[in-house]
Each structure stands twice: as C-alpha cells, then as structure tokens.
Amino acid sequence: MNKRGRIPAAALALLLGVVLVLACRPSQTVQRQTDDAGMKTKIKAKLAKDVGAATITSVEVNVTNGVVTLAGPVSSGEEKLKIERVARSVDGVVSVTNNLQVTAPPATSPQPATSSSPATTPLTTPRP
C-alpha cells in the first residue's frame, strides 16, 4: 500500500475538531464575556452603594456586548432613573435598556391605636 496518499487518523480527527469549533463559535469571545461579567459586577456593587442593598436582590442586571438590561420591581420612578444613571456610569457600558417596573408599595393594614393608660371596661348598673 502507498502511505503517501493517506492522512493519519490523528491528523484527520484534529482537522475535524478545528472545523467543528469554527462552525460552532459562540456569539461572544471569551474576552467579551469576561468584560461583560466585570461590568455586571461593577454595576451591582455601585447599585448597592448608591441606591441601597435591597436593590441587589430585586433588580436583575444582564450585560451582553456592553448593552445593559435592567429588570425588576422598584418603588418609584425616581429610583428607576437613579438605577439607570448608575448603570450608565460604569466604564464600557454601550447602552442601557431600562425594563424596571414601578410597583405600588404594599398596602398596610391599619394598626390599632395604642394608649399608655390601662384598659378599662365601662361600668354598668343593673336595671330593675
């Protein structure tokens, strides 16, 4: 048999692997994914500092290719704008999509009045 015309199996497997990797390339480079993750961390840290710690759990922050998407409930329009400003202030942010929803504060039930005087019961006299 002539060995010159044959490609070794290992080389063929390597070539096939390279082709598959190039064909299935993710939409983001590893560097871009790392940059986006860093921006998300910076945004969350600034939100905790500038807006309040509760914001970390209630506001969802997603970053893809430098585009920030904010989602979740906030208590006021003012808070919504403040969160957007904080996100825009982070280096590398290209744009911000603000999908935050202003929700009404939960209704509180009326509390009974408190008094420092002791409770008394009205005196009744028996009727004849």
Side-chain angles (χ1 to χ4, degrees):
M1 283 213 157
N2 183 357
K3 289 186 177 184
R4 283 180 26 181
R6 299 179 83 193
I7 298 175
L12 186 58
L14 179 63
L15 180 62
L16 182 59
V18 169
V19 169
L20 288 174
V21 167
L22 292 176
C24 300
R25 183 182 306 183
S27 63
Q28 289 184 298
T29 64
V30 172
Q31 181 62 45
R32 183 74 245 181
Q33 290 174 9
T34 303
D35 291 347
D36 287 346
M39 276 188 267
K40 179 178 180 174
T41 301
K42 287 178 185 174
I43 291 168
K44 284 288 207 173
K46 284 188 83 166
L47 287 175
K49 180 181 169 212
D50 297 350
V51 181
T55 310
I56 288 185
T57 56
S58 64
V59 173
E60 183 179 332
V61 177
N62 289 308
V63 183
T64 304
N65 295 325
V67 176
V68 177
T69 303
L70 303 169
V74 293
S75 60
S76 68
E78 189 176 294
E79 183 180 26
K80 179 179 178 175
L81 293 175
K82 187 172 186 178
I83 291 168
E84 182 177 340
R85 277 194 304 270
V86 167
R88 287 185 188 282
S89 72
V90 172
D91 288 340
V93 171
V94 175
S95 66
V96 175
T97 302
N98 190 340
N99 293 331
L100 295 169
Q101 303 255 328
V102 177
T103 58
T108 58
S109 59
Q111 299 295 321
T114 58
S115 171
S116 59
S117 61
T120 59
T121 56
L123 297 177
T124 58
T125 55
R127 292 196 173 225

